[in-house]
Amino acid sequence: MKKQFTLLLLSACLWAGRTSAQTNRLKPGFESAEYIEMLKITGGFLDSVTIGSPIRCKRVYRSPIVGLDNVWDLWQRDDGVGIISLRGTTLNAVSWLENFYAAMVPAVGQLQLAANETFSYKLAKNPRAAVHAGWVIGMAYLAKDILPKLDSATRKGTREFIITGDSQGGALAFLMTSYLHSQVGNRLPADVRFKTYCIAAPKPGNLYYAYDYEAMTQGGWGFNVVNSADWVPEIPLSIQTTSDFNPINPFVGIPKAIRSQKFFNRIALNYAFGKLDKPTRKAQKQYQRFLGNYMERIVGKNLPNYKAPAYYESNHYVRTGQTIVLLADETYYQKYPDDPTKLFRHHLLQPYLYLGEKQADQTASTPATTVPQPLAGAWELNYLSGGQGSFGELFPDKKPMLTFDAATGRFSGSTGCNRINGPLTVDGSGIQFPQAMAMTRMACPGNGEPAFLEVLKKVNRYAVTDNTLALIVGDIAVMRFTRQ
């Protein structure tokens, strides 16, 4: 205990000495070297597995075991950035229980952790957002210990933190990122910045949670790193019913439309719609009955005073965050061949390190566009020329964003709806975006996205003045952005 107190005191003094020098150490965008350092930090929980020690970081605190066998470490990088590392699944049965307790609960609510103790959480703004019940428990117990340590660090001047975790720890990192963001401006200072690397993580919640998380971390502040050969990021099992769509969808009007048909047509259409709708609803209820109510009773034996919130009637889990795919190719499978007797082979740290280092080598050997420092960083659109409608009508919910990564020479961002990324060509004041760029494929209302993309692909010059970025076609500024 004395040794632990000494470490914390030394850490606090060191952080205090870095107050003026540690502003803006974190940069947006995925960095292979930063990812590899985070992977080695998560390996600190596994004494029997050696993938090398982190170079720039040292551990200053390890928490006691809490909740369902949950532990976290506090690390410090040599530039003063704090790192919150969340432990993944252990061999302890209650650690696996946390994974199997896979019913969904609302992303805003309360947990009763003890007879006279409730934990309030807000992980999303959308009232339809829902998350994994077991991992909410783990997040809650860890947050109770993490927040006081962050209070101490921020009082000493630290404003930048990385949140990371592997496997179950990666799932917890999603929820912890959401929770800590909800404390910014309340328990935590308004200028605190978080960056997240979720590694080999399963899916943490439903589509509406994913939307909120991705909006919160857009601009290059949250990454979900997956090995394409690893099965763990594909779980929990997902069941999508017609109730999981947005309220305005073609399925809503089907029952009414069927009732307006002639008798025999109505019978046939009701039968066909029932074949589509009923099996998934039945499966969802069975899933919730076993992985909710039944597992809740087992959790209660380990946490006697725990009381679950009302479950959310869905089990539509989706992959969340900006995904960095470590693609398993032929040379990978030669080194790590599929083996049905080794179910976790592709989930282990060594394959993730191998693919991460390979990606870093390929990036280093490929000449990248140099992004000038004034252009680097995240920008939010506030003006668009030529759109059919006012700016507010084109982008009523979320403004488009662009982030320019100096390390990779690439851009990423959002159209206000879908995420985009791709290579960038910059030559002096000239700039060119690719005609074909990587983009998610969500259906988007209105004309905002097509108007944004149409103009973006015509841009050929840029200018940065103070905190304003103008994207130009010929001599006309067709887009203006504000630095974030």
Side-chain angles (χ1 to χ4, degrees):
M1 192 72 181
K2 183 176 179 181
K3 182 179 179 182
Q4 188 180 87
F5 176 78
T6 303
L7 281 173
L8 285 173
L9 184 60
L10 287 172
S11 173
C13 292
L14 186 57
W15 258 315
R18 292 180 180 271
T19 302
S20 61
Q22 92 112 26
T23 305
N24 297 329
R25 301 294 184 182
L26 284 181
K27 302 298 182 186
F30 179 79
E31 298 179 29
S32 294
E34 194 169 58
Y35 154 69
I36 290 171
E37 193 84 338
M38 294 306 106
L39 186 66
K40 291 180 177 180
I41 282 175
T42 65
F45 292 116
L46 304 172
D47 296 331
S48 62
V49 179
T50 56
I51 59 170
S53 300
I55 298 172
R56 299 183 56 192
C57 308
K58 65 178 182 180
R59 194 178 76 195
V60 296
Y61 173 74
R62 172 161 290 180
S63 76
I65 297 173
V66 295
L68 297 172
D69 202 31
N70 299 112
V71 170
W72 76 283
D73 282 348
L74 178 62
W75 292 68
Q76 185 181 3
R77 202 161 72 179
D78 58 11
D79 60 0
V81 171
I83 298 164
I84 299 164
S85 176
L86 310 177
R87 186 170 76 178
T89 309
T90 69
L91 297 178
N92 192 325
V94 299
S95 182
W96 285 93
L97 174 61
E98 183 172 306
N99 295 331
F100 289 133
Y101 185 24
M104 281 189 172
V105 295
V108 179
Q110 287 186 330
L111 298 180
Q112 184 169 333
L113 302 179
N116 298 309
E117 180 186 10
T118 58
F119 179 87
S120 298
Y121 61 90
K122 182 177 182 180
L123 308 180
K125 297 177 182 178
N126 193 319
R128 302 191 72 196
V131 290
H132 186 285
W135 298 328
V136 170
I137 295 174
M139 180 278 297
Y141 275 98
L142 289 168
K144 289 169 55 184
D145 192 60
I146 287 173
L147 267 180
K149 303 299 183 294
L150 294 192
D151 277 341
S152 176
T154 56
R155 282 198 299 270
K156 303 300 190 238
T158 301
R159 291 294 187 271
E160 297 180 305
F161 299 89
I162 296 176
I163 303 168
T164 192
D166 166 69
S167 192
Q168 181 192 88
L172 292 169
F174 283 117
L175 304 187
M176 188 63 69
T177 298
S178 299
Y179 177 73
L180 293 179
H181 269 276
S182 76
Q183 299 301 306
V184 173
N186 298 307
R187 179 79 179 264
L188 298 174
D191 58 347
V192 166
R193 166 69 78 182
F194 296 106
K195 187 175 184 180
T196 303
Y197 285 89
C198 302
I199 302 169
K203 298 174 286 188
N206 70 353
L207 183 63
Y208 304 102
Y209 171 73
Y211 284 161
D212 267 42
Y213 179 89
E214 288 157 6
M216 180 180 65
T217 59
Q218 72 177 344
W221 295 105
F223 300 98
N224 178 16
V225 186
V226 301
N227 172 359
S228 64
D230 183 9
W231 60 270
V232 172
E234 301 168 5
I235 60 170
L237 294 174
S238 181
I239 301 168
Q240 186 178 25
T241 72
T242 54
S243 297
D244 291 312
F245 290 86
N246 268 305
I248 305 302
N249 68 72
F251 297 105
V252 170
I254 287 179
K256 183 178 179 181
I258 290 174
R259 288 196 296 272
S260 67
Q261 299 296 312
K262 294 181 178 179
F263 178 74
F264 290 107
N265 287 343
R266 188 164 67 245
I267 291 175
L269 290 170
N270 268 321
Y271 176 79
F273 183 66
K275 283 290 188 180
L276 167 72
D277 192 47
K278 290 180 181 178
T280 55
R281 290 186 182 276
K282 182 178 180 180
Q284 190 276 322
K285 290 179 180 178
Q286 291 175 336
Y287 190 107
Q288 183 172 299
R289 187 179 302 120
F290 179 71
L291 297 181
N293 304 104
Y294 177 74
M295 287 297 170
E296 180 186 338
R297 292 196 293 270
I298 302 176
V299 169
K301 294 177 181 178
N302 292 275
L303 302 173
N305 294 300
Y306 167 74
K307 288 186 179 179
Y311 295 122
Y312 186 86
E313 299 292 331
S314 173
N315 290 97
H316 181 214
Y317 283 97
V318 302
R319 196 163 71 180
T320 300
Q322 183 176 341
T323 302
I324 304 297
V325 178
L326 304 178
L327 193 62
D329 56 14
E330 184 179 350
T331 58
Y332 171 86
Y333 282 110
Q334 288 174 358
K335 187 175 180 66
Y336 300 102
D338 284 335
D339 185 343
T341 67
K342 297 179 180 178
L343 296 178
F344 288 93
R345 163 169 280 179
H346 303 302
H347 185 61
L348 299 177
L349 297 177
Q350 294 97 328
Y352 272 83
L353 178 64
Y354 169 80
L355 289 172
E357 290 179 335
K358 183 176 180 180
Q359 184 184 76
D361 291 342
Q362 291 172 342
T363 301
S365 63
T366 303
T369 293
T370 299
V371 174
Q373 196 57 44
L375 181 61
W379 302 86
E380 183 180 71
L381 184 73
N382 58 36
Y383 168 77
L384 175 67
S385 172
Q388 296 181 359
S390 68
F391 187 84
E393 291 170 339
L394 290 172
F395 308 107
D397 299 320
K398 186 167 62 175
K399 298 177 183 178
M401 294 276 299
L402 289 177
T403 297
F404 302 98
D405 191 336
T408 64
R410 296 175 64 86
F411 79 96
S412 61
S414 162
T415 65
C417 177
N418 279 291
R419 299 189 305 278
I420 55 175
N421 70 83
L424 191 67
T425 302
V426 181
D427 183 9
S429 63
I431 189 169
Q432 186 173 354
F433 295 86
Q435 294 300 303
M437 60 187 71
M439 186 169 72
T440 57
R441 297 294 179 186
M442 294 185 293
C444 304
N447 298 317
E449 179 176 272
F452 175 77
L453 291 173
E454 181 182 2
V455 175
L456 187 68
K457 292 175 182 179
K458 295 177 181 177
V459 165
N460 54 26
R461 289 198 306 119
Y462 79 95
V464 177
T465 305
D466 296 327
N467 289 318
T468 299
L469 165 66
L471 294 183
I472 302 166
V473 177
D475 295 321
I476 300 173
V478 292
M479 289 179 166
R480 282 198 298 268
F481 296 77
T482 304
R483 187 181 292 280
Q484 297 302 294

